[in-house]
Amino acid sequence: MEPSMRLAASHACRACTRLSSANVARPPVTRSYSKAISSRSLRRANSSNPIIHSKRPTKTTQPNNYPSRPLSLFGQQSKPAEDNSAPLGSAASYENRSRPPILRPDDLFHSFTNSPIPEIRRRAAYIRQHAHCPHPDHQPTRIPASTDTSRSAASSGAQAPVHVDFECPDCGIPVYCSEKHWAEDYEAHLQICDTLRQINEDDHDLRSGRFFPEFEYAGPQMEEAAVNMTNWDTFLYTRQFEAINDDRNMRQVTRLLTYPITIGSILHELSPYNIRKGGRLTPEGLKSLSALRYTLHPPMTGSGTEIKGLRPEAPPVRIFILGARAESSLPRNVWVQLAHLFPRGKFHLIFIGPESMTNRDDEFPLPPRTPSNPFGAIVEDRVWPTMKISTIVDYYHTLHKTGQFYPYDPYFDCFVMFHPGLGHPASSHEWSETVPLLLETKAPIIVTGYTQYDMDRDIEWVKKTCGGEFDMLMEPGENTFRSLRWDLNDLDPQDVSCGNWGVWAFRGKRYEATTKNVE
């Protein structure tokens, strides 16, 4: 879609957007798309056509020789899913709303092996091939994910590790090697059985083919209207999202919004984190975040379009998202929610990491590395008038040594790492060269973790690697805007976590020179 059409569609009402998507799904006509909808047809649709405004539109018949083309405001549509599974590229497409759902809301629980969704059946096969039975009689095969050593001490059996093969009838996920071991260890399994069942139903709901009204995000925020960041409910209400009255719908929408809103909740002037007791913000953190907030919330200067109204503007705030994985492939309208929180601020999101473009070759083929683009950066400068996104498939320390983003300014730069695993034995070696360079910039570094144990392990690794040459900006703790949906580790079904559960922040230590009176 052309940039002008994308901007116009972003400000259109829901009725106009649904009518546009309905017209796009029809066979092509001789007129152009921009002239397909006249003002008379819009008035007629808004006044006398109850079908377009209904919650469940009627199914439109379409010849087989004309492929469907759902409307998308941002980015490219994903490939059609195989075996009649629902496509996830555009949750609000007219095709998804008119197609009868695969699963009903009261029929979401199915065992992974016998699931009607082929993708989930393949996932069950993957779990059987890689996950091991957690029964205490087997030798442990995983690194403990918590400080609770009672379970690991009990799991020191003499039997060799065995892959899981038995599905719990209550949660429908392969968790033990046999029914006998499942029955013997049933009390331990009960601690997570309800959570696994919730994960099961949420995964089936996401692929059920239903229409997802919770993915229709709010538009730009009025500058005069304050945003309440006490919790998810107050945030969605003050941001004028559509009412979400179902817990499952809330879990689905927060799984995506947790990434931009976690950043925004820390940088915003109405942040839930403060310097008061229990607010988790340190004096050094207040200094660093105040500099960024001054840029993102510029004072009213009386600027205008005439010569007398010209005022200098601050450059965009650069947010470097290091080790980017799934967050780099989020729909762009999800990241635009960060721009909506700061009506007069500008952003440049820079995704950096060797996995930042994984499985996205069809969407954005990697450009060649040329003298004008030495690192093959993919630049999306039409995401929003106040937001630009760049993606670089490389390690940050390689870019830092070349001075690609030099100079760094605490007023305009910030680093973010989502679940980096700084202290994890399998990934710590990839950060040993990067973190010392980050401390040299003196810019704030925001880090999230899956659990409290995960964050404490990362902090201990930073202390050991950097010799204590850093200032803590925000104490580690639970993230106010964490994902409410739990996720399953396919390599270990006993390991359940939610995205961005905890958050903390640090930066390179600053030394202030003082004068000493010598008598």
Side-chain angles (χ1 to χ4, degrees):
M1 184 182 293
E2 295 296 331
S4 59
M5 289 294 297
R6 184 187 297 113
L7 185 59
S10 63
H11 292 283
C13 67
R14 187 180 304 174
C16 298
T17 305
R18 290 178 177 175
L19 183 59
S20 301
S21 60
N23 286 329
V24 171
R26 294 173 183 170
V29 294
T30 56
R31 294 180 300 169
S32 62
Y33 174 73
S34 60
K35 298 180 181 179
I37 305 175
S38 63
S39 59
R40 180 181 303 175
S41 63
L42 288 179
R43 288 196 299 267
R44 183 168 60 251
N46 292 333
S47 60
S48 62
N49 193 350
I51 298 179
I52 296 179
H53 292 276
S54 63
K55 291 292 184 179
R56 191 181 299 276
T58 58
K59 183 175 181 180
T60 58
T61 58
Q62 189 175 11
N64 295 331
N65 54 344
Y66 295 111
S68 174
R69 182 177 178 271
L71 177 66
S72 174
L73 300 184
F74 298 93
Q76 186 178 359
Q77 294 295 319
S78 61
K79 291 183 178 181
E82 298 178 358
D83 298 326
N84 296 329
S85 59
L88 303 180
S90 175
S93 65
Y94 184 80
E95 182 183 3
N96 287 352
R97 283 179 282 170
S98 60
R99 177 187 303 173
I102 300 175
L103 299 174
R104 300 186 309 274
D106 58 348
D107 187 33
L108 294 178
F109 176 74
H110 297 271
S111 66
F112 270 29
T113 302
N114 301 319
S115 172
I117 310 299
E119 182 180 352
I120 296 182
R121 295 199 299 269
R122 290 192 294 267
R123 187 179 182 185
Y126 181 87
I127 294 176
R128 280 189 164 89
Q129 292 176 0
H130 297 85
H132 291 86
C133 178
H135 193 273
D137 290 346
H138 296 291
Q139 299 175 0
T141 58
R142 300 295 177 188
I143 299 176
S146 66
T147 56
D148 185 13
T149 58
S150 59
R151 177 73 179 177
S152 60
S155 301
S156 56
Q159 298 183 12
V162 179
H163 291 293
V164 298
D165 189 53
F166 177 77
E167 283 184 338
C168 172
D170 297 327
C171 63
I173 296 177
V175 286
Y176 286 88
C177 62
S178 63
E179 184 177 0
K180 177 183 177 182
H181 277 188
W182 168 76
E184 292 177 354
D185 206 34
Y186 186 67
E187 292 186 3
H189 177 67
L190 276 180
Q191 299 177 5
I192 61 170
C193 187
D194 291 340
T195 304
L196 292 178
R197 184 184 179 96
Q198 185 183 102
I199 294 173
N200 185 327
E201 294 179 354
D202 288 347
D203 283 345
H204 281 91
D205 174 68
L206 193 63
R207 298 162 178 84
S208 64
R210 70 173 178 90
F211 171 57
F212 292 84
E214 61 268 28
F215 290 154
E216 292 187 350
Y217 302 130
Q221 179 76 3
M222 293 178 56
E223 194 169 356
E224 296 79 8
V227 179
N228 190 328
M229 291 190 173
T230 304
N231 50 49
W232 274 116
D233 292 329
T234 58
F235 171 80
L236 296 177
Y237 177 76
T238 53
R239 276 288 290 118
Q240 298 181 352
F241 275 71
E242 293 291 336
I244 301 177
N245 301 319
D246 186 77
D247 290 341
R248 179 168 290 112
N249 293 6
M250 179 68 82
R251 292 195 295 268
Q252 302 289 15
V253 70
T254 57
R255 189 189 188 191
L256 301 183
L257 289 180
T258 179
Y259 292 96
I261 306 306
T262 294
I263 300 175
S265 65
I266 298 175
L267 303 183
H268 202 274
E269 62 182 358
L270 301 178
S271 170
Y273 311 107
N274 50 66
I275 201 172
R276 294 190 292 268
K277 184 178 180 180
R280 295 171 52 191
L281 205 63
T282 64
E284 291 298 327
L286 183 62
K287 296 178 183 178
S288 290
L289 296 182
S290 296
L292 287 169
R293 291 169 183 173
Y294 181 81
T295 305
L296 293 173
H297 299 280
M300 302 293 291
T301 58
S303 60
T305 57
E306 300 180 355
I307 297 297
K308 295 182 179 180
L310 295 179
R311 300 288 188 276
E313 294 184 357
V317 172
R318 300 185 301 181
I319 299 181
F320 300 89
I321 302 177
L322 310 183
R325 298 184 296 270
E327 57 269 19
S328 64
S329 61
L330 288 177
R332 292 320 184 214
N333 55 346
V334 175
W335 284 110
V336 166
Q337 294 300 312
L338 177 61
H340 290 340
L341 287 177
F342 304 88
R344 287 183 289 122
K346 297 181 180 179
F347 289 96
H348 182 192
L349 303 183
I350 306 174
F351 297 102
I352 301 176
E355 302 178 16
S356 58
M357 288 297 295
T358 303
N359 298 327
R360 297 182 64 197
D361 294 338
D362 295 338
E363 181 182 1
F364 289 108
L366 291 179
R369 301 196 175 197
T370 60
S372 60
N373 189 11
F375 294 100
I378 299 175
V379 181
E380 304 170 60
D381 58 350
R382 303 290 183 179
V383 175
W384 193 253
T386 59
M387 175 175 284
K388 180 173 71 171
I389 296 181
S390 301
T391 307
I392 302 177
V393 184
D394 211 328
Y395 287 100
Y396 171 77
H397 56 260
T398 304
L399 304 171
H400 184 95
K401 293 177 180 178
T402 60
Q404 177 74 7
F405 300 108
Y406 188 84
Y408 298 92
D409 194 324
Y411 279 82
F412 307 116
D413 295 324
C414 176
F415 295 92
V416 180
M417 294 185 288
F418 293 111
H419 317 114
L422 299 177
H424 196 280
S427 58
S428 59
H429 65 282
E430 297 182 351
W431 296 102
S432 58
E433 192 174 357
T434 298
V435 173
L437 299 178
L438 295 179
L439 299 181
E440 294 178 2
T441 65
K442 308 301 181 183
I445 307 169
I446 302 173
V447 187
T448 66
Y450 288 112
T451 60
Q452 185 70 36
Y453 174 76
D454 186 24
M455 293 188 295
D456 293 340
R457 183 175 57 186
D458 291 348
I459 295 174
E460 190 64 28
W461 182 88
V462 173
K463 291 180 180 179
K464 181 180 178 181
T465 303
C466 304
E469 290 295 319
F470 69 94
D471 293 323
M472 187 68 70
L473 305 184
M474 189 169 69
E475 298 295 336
E478 185 174 355
N479 180 14
T480 304
F481 293 97
R482 68 176 180 88
S483 171
L484 299 181
R485 176 181 166 177
W486 293 93
D487 295 315
L488 174 68
N489 182 2
D490 292 348
L491 300 178
D492 185 7
Q494 308 296 320
D495 181 17
V496 294
S497 60
C498 60
N500 302 324
W501 180 90
V503 62
W504 60 288
F506 68 105
R507 68 145 194 250
K509 182 177 286 294
R510 288 184 176 180
Y511 295 94
E512 297 182 0
T514 58
T515 58
K516 181 178 181 181
N517 296 328
V518 180
E519 297 181 354

